Amino acid sequence: MNMTAHRAAVFLALLLSSSASGEVIFSRRAYKEHGTSYQQIWTWNPADGVLKALTHSPRDHYNPRCDGRIIKFTSPSPDITEDVMLWSLNRTTGEEHIAGRAPEAREKPVSRTPSCDHFAKLGALEACGNEESLVVSRSGKPIGRFSIQVNTCPIDNHGTLGKCETPIRSLDWTKDGKWLLIGEEGLNDGSGQRQDDYYLINLATMKLRTVASADTAFWLPGRDQIVYVTPQGLAPLRGGHGKHNVWVQQLMFFDPAKGTPTAITSGLTNNADASWCEGAR
């Protein structure tokens, strides 16, 4: 580990001194100038800032999810059927076994009420989102109203600008109720997939701030801190056939108290499908 990476690891370890037991698990490809690279399963431990590779096998590993000591992931079938297969990884032995055809992806259930497209409740705190409008309440009484309409779009062929259709898509409180994370549909696409724009509300000040545009973002359990995955972008890679472009994404850490992001991964790597892996060490 070079000095820059070491300082970053030390910084993150000090920043994240209190910890819920667990790790962030994700799919990571480190590109090579020569030869084939694959999406492997990696973890990042927020208690000490350590990145660790769990697999090294010649297949792509996507959507890793923890189930005790077993990690389930998906990988394209090597034959011409183009089926996506479900695999399991035993963390103790490192063995990988095919478990059958992967089930179709299901949309995450959305919490809603008759008056709220998206709804999040924590004790007496409630957040109600409709389109770009958000109302925060305590014990049934509104304490803050927000219109998260920061983008403008062309609405006709004459260059007229107007309201964009970028509705709120997620609301998530911290366990202590100090912060609310809002995910709103973004304007930009990454490799054909619409990214989200994430915002924070500080309940002490009732002020709204921007976090980042990201494919996904979530709170680290037991902390008022966020991990998110940047949208896909293209970067040049030189190899045996000259220079060509590859997809890259990075895993990022955001501490609302400091207000600045810190890179967990960097370089010519594609880091995706991040989630929390409870108690897996």
Side-chain angles (χ1 to χ4, degrees):
M1 180 183 292
N2 60 40
M3 287 301 296
T4 300
H6 175 71
R7 291 192 189 102
V10 171
F11 167 77
L12 287 171
L14 292 174
L15 196 61
L16 301 168
S17 55
S18 63
S19 172
S21 176
E23 301 168 306
V24 175
I25 189 168
F26 61 103
S27 172
R28 172 179 170 88
R29 181 193 301 266
Y31 292 102
K32 302 177 182 179
E33 289 190 4
H34 303 280
T36 304
S37 60
Y38 296 92
Q39 294 280 155
Q40 304 290 352
I41 298 176
W42 284 64
T43 59
W44 176 69
N45 182 2
D48 54 21
V50 170
L51 285 163
K52 181 180 179 181
L54 299 187
T55 64
H56 304 87
S57 51
R59 68 177 57 89
D60 286 322
H61 304 68
Y62 294 105
N63 304 301
R65 295 293 184 269
C66 290
D67 186 6
R69 298 300 298 175
I70 300 297
I71 296 172
K72 296 179 180 179
F73 65 93
T74 60
S75 186
S77 173
D79 59 33
I80 61 173
T81 64
E82 298 184 357
D83 286 336
V84 176
M85 308 306 292
L86 181 67
W87 288 72
S88 66
L89 165 70
N90 187 312
R91 289 195 62 160
T92 302
T93 65
E95 295 179 345
E96 299 178 27
H97 297 285
I98 196 166
R101 186 174 297 176
E104 292 186 7
R106 297 181 180 178
E107 292 187 6
K108 293 182 179 179
V110 175
S111 178
R112 64 178 78 236
T113 70
S115 59
C116 305
D117 293 338
H118 289 269
F119 180 77
K121 182 176 177 62
L122 179 74
L125 292 171
E126 295 179 345
C128 174
N130 287 300
E131 297 297 329
E132 290 92 354
S133 297
L134 176 69
V135 177
V136 178
S137 303
R138 179 182 284 114
S139 300
K141 297 180 179 180
I143 57 175
R145 297 178 184 271
F146 303 87
S147 179
I148 313 176
Q149 182 57 61
V150 298
N151 300 309
T152 55
C153 296
I155 59 175
D156 57 30
N157 295 327
H158 306 290
T160 306
L161 296 178
K163 181 180 177 181
C164 301
E165 294 184 3
T166 54
I168 292 170
R169 301 206 292 193
S170 64
L171 297 167
D172 193 11
W173 293 101
T174 54
K175 288 187 176 181
D176 57 15
K178 291 181 180 179
W179 300 90
L180 176 68
L181 179 64
I182 305 113
E184 185 179 83
E185 184 174 312
L187 288 178
N188 298 320
D189 295 334
S191 68
Q193 182 178 2
R194 183 63 63 88
Q195 66 195 44
D196 280 358
D197 295 330
Y198 285 91
Y199 305 88
L200 277 175
I201 291 175
N202 183 333
L203 266 289
T205 63
M206 293 307 294
K207 290 184 177 180
L208 180 78
R209 74 161 72 164
T210 300
V211 176
S213 293
D215 270 3
T216 187
F218 55 91
W219 293 109
L220 289 173
R223 302 184 180 91
D224 293 351
Q225 295 152 341
I226 296 165
V227 165
Y228 67 92
V229 178
T230 63
Q232 277 193 328
L234 290 171
L237 174 69
R238 294 192 178 275
H241 300 288
K243 185 174 72 173
H244 63 285
N245 291 325
V246 293
W247 290 113
V248 295
Q249 288 180 276
Q250 304 301 342
L251 204 63
M252 304 290 292
F253 166 83
F254 184 85
D255 186 347
K258 294 186 175 293
T260 54
T262 302
I264 297 172
T265 62
S266 61
L268 284 171
T269 59
N270 189 51
N271 305 273
D273 303 335
S275 65
W276 181 250
C277 187
E278 188 71 35
R281 285 297 288 170

